[in-house]
Amino acid sequence: MQAAPGEPLVASSRGPGRARGARRLTLGDMAEALQVSTATVSLALRDSPLVAPATRERIKAHALAAGYVYNRSAAALRTARSNMIGVAVHDILNPYFAEVFRALEDELGRENQVVLICNHRDDVARQQRFIDTLMQHRVDGLVICASVGTRVEDINGLADSGIPVTLICRDVAGARVPVVRSDDVAGARMVVSHLIAQGHRQIAMIGGRRQSSSGHDRNLGWKLALEEAGIDVAAQLDIPELMTTADGREAAEMLLSARPRPTAVFAFNDLIAYGLLSALRRAGVEPGRDIAVAGYDDTDGAASRTPALTSVWNKPDEIGKTAAALMLRQIAGAPVTEMPAPILPELRVRESTPPPKPGGEGQARGA
């Protein structure tokens, strides 16, 4: 017989070099010895085709050498709920995720679930260590905003091992698990179309990790809005990979030195926009008067900035509540047969995105 995911195995005295009697051998022990993930060990012991044949045989040979036998008491434990849900995101300091967490915790708390949070910082190895640890502690499910570099095989491997998984905010192409996220292409098109309608023709985009679905899709929405207005995308300033307030401050110099200088900026998120607002003002360029700045996520405080920040409301409450409902449904054993449609965000126009100043640099160029 074989062990279910997260169940300890029992190593008997048949294992080479072991003392008489038996001691517990966990999937984590085997994973560490073989330098693979816990999920990989679990899948290999169940002959899953998701694990390469050579790796399967190596893991099974190691288990055989350790003399493992099926642990029925562990199997009984596995059927019990731990009342713990793991949540992994890339930036716990981003207030947008705090809003998502609040909605998740409220919904899951009604079912006595405790949320455990990991800040993987877009480090896929750090994300995997967190997941492996939670698997060993038999969490009831995982909610993941996937790190850049996450392999679809890893997500599907988790799902095939029996652990409920729901992705939030970022998609992983080909993953066979529910994904709860907004329509980032539509949101970006909304804000850039607003800037174009204001009369801007030099509209920079700053930030976004383009290997992530959100970074790719917001950049695509920016491009589509420009193309629909007949504006040359190649003539615009596009600075990828930036994500934080500090990044926004550092980007201000590149923005101001660009020729032609943009009259408007679409920031990937509000954090970048906040950094830009302060750095531009220090440089003597007044945002909301000399240059238009728009953000994304409409985080708490966007409306109270000076100037009040135009931003795309990304509906964190709806994302958190929907993800929680899908997680609870999976934990209860109900299949998720229909994937949720992307949530349509809303544009909130404020003081930071006025028309370009008459005769301003870049106003009539690029059309």
Side-chain angles (χ1 to χ4, degrees), residues 16 37 60 96 136 220:
S37 73
K60 291 167 73 175
Y96 176 75
Q136 292 174 45
L220 176 59

Side-chain angles (χ1 to χ4, degrees), residues 221-262:
W222 171 73
K223 290 177 179 176
L224 290 174
L226 293 171
E227 290 171 350
E228 288 166 0
I231 298 173
D232 183 7
V233 174
Q236 311 302 311
L237 179 66
D238 184 11
I239 307 175
E241 301 309 305
L242 308 184
M243 297 291 287
T244 67
T245 301
D247 289 338
R249 289 194 294 265
E250 293 177 6
E253 183 177 350
M254 289 182 279
L255 178 69
L256 295 175
S257 62
R259 293 294 180 268
R261 180 191 291 181

Side-chain angles (χ1 to χ4, degrees), residues 7-11 18 23-30 62-63 66-68:
E7 293 173 11
L9 307 174
V10 171
R18 298 198 185 278
R23 75 167 187 85
R24 286 192 183 278
L25 175 68
T26 67
L27 295 181
D29 292 335
M30 295 180 64
H62 181 88
Y68 85 89

Side-chain angles (χ1 to χ4, degrees), residues 86-339:
V87 181
V89 299
H90 62 278
D91 187 4
I92 200 171
L93 298 179
N94 189 330
Y96 176 75
F97 287 108
E99 295 175 31
V100 174
F101 291 150
R102 181 173 58 193
L104 265 171
E105 285 186 318
D106 286 348
E107 295 301 308
L108 294 173
R110 293 187 177 94
E111 299 297 325
N112 298 316
Q113 290 282 354
V114 175
V115 173
L116 306 177
I117 299 171
C118 166
N119 185 31
H120 59 62
R121 305 175 193 167
D122 266 329
D123 181 339
V124 72
R126 182 182 176 93
Q127 173 182 273
Q128 190 60 55
R129 287 194 299 271
F130 174 72
I131 290 172
D132 287 348
T133 299
L134 290 179
M135 291 277 286
Q136 292 174 45
H137 286 82
R138 304 190 312 276
V139 292
D140 289 346
L142 294 167
V143 177
I144 304 171
C145 179
S147 168
V148 168
T150 299
R151 302 186 311 160
V152 64
E153 294 87 354
D154 293 332
I155 299 298
N156 288 337
L158 287 169
D160 290 341
S161 74
I163 186 80
V165 178
T166 297
L167 298 177
I168 58 169
C169 301
R170 290 177 173 178
D171 195 2
V172 176
R176 300 190 301 272
V177 299
V179 182
V180 184
R181 54 173 298 206
S182 70
D183 189 333
D184 287 308
V185 175
R189 289 176 77 172
M190 289 176 192
V191 68
V192 178
S193 295
H194 160 67
L195 293 170
I196 293 168
Q198 291 287 76
H200 296 280
R201 293 296 179 269
Q202 289 295 144
I203 304 171
M205 178 169 183
I206 297 181
R209 293 196 172 108
R210 307 297 164 78
Q211 287 182 294
S212 71
S213 62
S214 56
H216 171 273
D217 287 0
R218 291 179 198 179
N219 185 251
L220 176 59
W222 171 73
K223 290 177 179 176
L224 290 174
L226 293 171
E227 290 171 350
E228 288 166 0
I231 298 173
D232 183 7
V233 174
Q236 311 302 311
L237 179 66
D238 184 11
I239 307 175
E241 301 309 305
L242 308 184
M243 297 291 287
T244 67
T245 301
D247 289 338
R249 289 194 294 265
E250 293 177 6
E253 183 177 350
M254 289 182 279
L255 178 69
L256 295 175
S257 62
R259 293 294 180 268
R261 180 191 291 181
T263 62
V265 182
F266 165 43
F268 169 79
N269 61 24
D270 285 353
L271 294 182
I272 295 170
Y274 295 158
L276 280 170
L277 292 180
S278 62
L280 289 169
R281 187 170 289 116
R282 284 198 304 272
V285 177
E286 185 60 34
R289 184 190 69 192
D290 302 325
I291 188 170
V293 178
Y296 204 105
D297 291 333
D298 196 34
T299 51
D300 186 30
S304 59
R305 293 273 166 166
T306 303
L309 182 67
T310 292
S311 190
V312 177
W313 181 41
N314 212 11
K315 301 185 178 178
D317 285 352
E318 188 171 348
I319 287 176
K321 289 177 181 178
T322 303
L326 288 167
M327 179 55 57
L328 292 171
R329 182 174 180 178
Q330 292 176 83
I331 290 171
V336 179
T337 55
E338 293 185 8
M339 297 300 175

